[in-house]
Amino acid sequence: MSMGAVTVRALAEHFKLEVLAAEERLDRQVTKPGGHRPGLEFVGYFDYFPMERVQVLGIKEITYLHKLTELERNLHIGNIVKYHPPCFIVTSGQQEDGLKYLMRYCEEEGIPLLRTPLPTTEFIAVMDAFLVKELAERIAIHGVCVNVSGIGILLRGSSGAGKSETAHSLIRRGHRLVADDVIVLKKLSPRTLLGTHNGKTKEFLALRSIGLINVVRLYGRKAFQEETRIALDIELTKWRDNELNNELEVEERYTDYMGVRIPHIQIQLQPGRDVASLVEAAANNWYLQQQGYSAVEEFMSRLQEG
């Protein structure tokens, strides 16, 4: 398991931020999600100052600094920059004339100062969403990740089980590939797992006897999706004749990924079984269960009614 990392340069490129100072220090790293507006810090309270976070300066913060004397302003800014946060970002396209003192301090301390035209609240929201994904705990697993009717599914199984072939059949039915071979799982919250590719295998699907195909070139943009929230973990296994395979209700099982429990289903393989259809059925059944519907409960209710 590893943690993601984001440089200030990557942040600047992603949000098209303008660099106002310390451009040579864009290699500094952001290690914690969540933008911070230094309000209490400007009045001298630093007990809980999140120095590892991006410091965001909106119109409110800059206006406050303008109302101070030069001595007071230098003192307040100096107290913050000495903690060396990753960077400062000025929002709402505020003009450089009112930021010269801040630019000077950032240049002296080697802290990048950047600017965005977006309003403060809007920028913090989109930046936080970006950083949560990029900085999330992550692991890589072997398998295929697909999105079936908006439901993220992991397809796992031993080599040659037919994971990629099943994914291909699902793509032909209008569903989407997310990742083949190497799946990167990101933990966004205790209950949310995101599946994506590792960049190198993006859009590619390896099919035995056929070779490598690019699903976008073959089937169009609708055949691929960058990422998906994982809802089901489906394992393709060998057929076992000695097991009863017509249960009314399968026992609930889960797979644990970084502390996130994902419902686990086994689909036994046998020549002639339409595995892609079974995956679709599993996805649709999971969706109905989330809506509070149980086919078994309805069936038993009918039996009791006579």
Side-chain angles (χ1 to χ4, degrees), residues 46-57:
F46 285 89
D47 285 4
Y48 300 98
F49 179 44
M51 65 187 76
E52 70 281 1
R53 295 185 178 181
V54 173
Q55 304 300 308
V56 182
L57 303 174

Side-chain angles (χ1 to χ4, degrees), residues 33-34 58 61 63 96 98 102-103 108 123 133 147 156 161 165 175 234 238 246 251 262 270 276 285 292-293:
E61 288 78 19
T63 300
E96 294 179 31
L102 189 58
M103 294 167 63
E108 291 175 356
F123 176 72
K133 290 182 182 179
N147 183 282
R156 298 187 299 109
E165 289 79 2
H175 307 298
I234 296 180
K238 292 182 179 180
N246 61 343
E251 178 187 354
I262 303 297
Q270 192 178 52
N285 194 50
Y293 173 78

Side-chain angles (χ1 to χ4, degrees), residues 8-298:
V8 176
R9 185 184 308 279
L11 198 64
E13 291 175 353
H14 183 81
F15 291 105
K16 298 180 173 55
L17 304 177
E18 181 184 359
V19 182
L20 301 179
E23 186 171 5
E24 72 282 357
R25 298 302 308 277
L26 295 180
D27 59 338
R28 292 169 65 90
Q29 289 195 340
V30 181
T31 59
K32 293 286 186 180
H36 175 68
R37 301 180 71 173
L40 289 174
E41 292 74 22
F42 281 151
V43 296
Y45 187 77
F46 285 89
D47 285 4
Y48 300 98
F49 179 44
M51 65 187 76
E52 70 281 1
R53 295 185 178 181
V54 173
Q55 304 300 308
V56 182
L57 303 174
I59 294 176
K60 181 170 62 175
E61 288 78 19
I62 296 299
T63 300
Y64 170 76
L65 290 174
H66 283 170
K67 292 181 178 180
L68 301 176
T69 66
E70 183 177 355
L71 181 61
E72 290 173 328
R73 186 166 59 233
N74 290 340
L75 176 63
H76 292 328
I77 295 174
N79 284 339
I80 290 179
V81 298
K82 72 180 181 182
Y83 286 95
H84 284 84
C87 65
F88 289 95
I89 298 179
V90 176
T91 61
S92 304
Q94 298 176 74
Q95 295 305 303
E96 294 179 31
D97 290 344
L99 303 173
K100 290 181 179 179
Y101 55 90
L102 189 58
M103 294 167 63
R104 175 169 57 83
Y105 265 101
C106 287
E107 284 288 355
E108 291 175 356
E109 296 292 333
I111 304 172
L113 175 65
L114 307 103
R115 178 168 59 190
T116 175
L118 294 178
T120 308
T121 304
E122 181 181 344
F123 176 72
I124 289 178
V126 295
M127 182 184 68
D128 285 356
F130 171 75
L131 290 177
V132 164
K133 290 182 182 179
E134 295 303 309
L135 299 176
E137 296 178 34
R138 63 193 64 198
I139 58 172
I141 66 169
H142 176 70
V144 180
C145 182
V146 290
N147 183 282
V148 176
S149 300
I151 298 167
I153 295 176
L154 299 176
L155 294 177
R156 298 187 299 109
S158 60
S159 179
K163 301 181 293 295
S164 297
E165 289 79 2
T166 300
H168 180 255
S169 295
L170 290 167
I171 292 168
R172 292 291 305 274
R173 298 178 188 213
H175 307 298
R176 296 177 175 181
L177 173 71
V178 177
D180 181 36
D181 189 32
V182 179
I183 307 168
V184 177
L185 297 178
K186 299 180 180 181
K187 180 182 178 180
L188 301 189
S189 78
R191 299 181 62 183
T192 306
L193 198 67
L194 194 72
T196 186
H197 53 81
N198 66 355
K200 297 178 181 178
T201 60
K202 178 180 178 179
E203 301 175 357
F204 288 116
L205 184 66
L207 299 173
R208 288 178 181 268
S209 304
I210 303 298
L212 202 63
I213 66 170
N214 185 309
V215 298
V216 171
R217 295 294 184 93
L218 215 56
Y219 300 113
R221 291 301 318 170
K222 62 180 176 57
F224 175 76
Q225 185 168 314
E226 285 283 346
E227 58 191 25
T228 187
R229 179 175 176 175
I230 303 300
L232 285 175
D233 177 64
I234 296 180
E235 183 182 6
L236 306 184
T237 65
K238 292 182 179 180
W239 184 270
R240 296 183 289 274
D241 288 325
N242 60 339
E243 287 193 6
L244 182 64
N245 297 296
N246 61 343
E247 303 99 327
L248 288 181
E249 188 169 30
V250 178
E251 178 187 354
E252 288 188 358
R253 298 178 180 177
Y254 295 89
T255 306
D256 186 287
Y257 294 106
M258 298 177 289
V260 182
R261 294 206 318 162
I262 303 297
H264 173 80
I265 297 173
Q266 287 188 347
I267 294 180
Q268 296 186 21
L269 303 175
Q270 192 178 52
R273 284 200 104 188
D274 188 348
V275 180
S277 288
L278 293 174
V279 172
E280 286 181 318
N284 292 331
N285 194 50
W286 175 88
Y287 176 78
L288 287 175
Q289 289 173 348
Q290 304 312 299
Q291 308 306 307
Y293 173 78
S294 169
V296 173
E297 288 181 5
E298 182 178 0

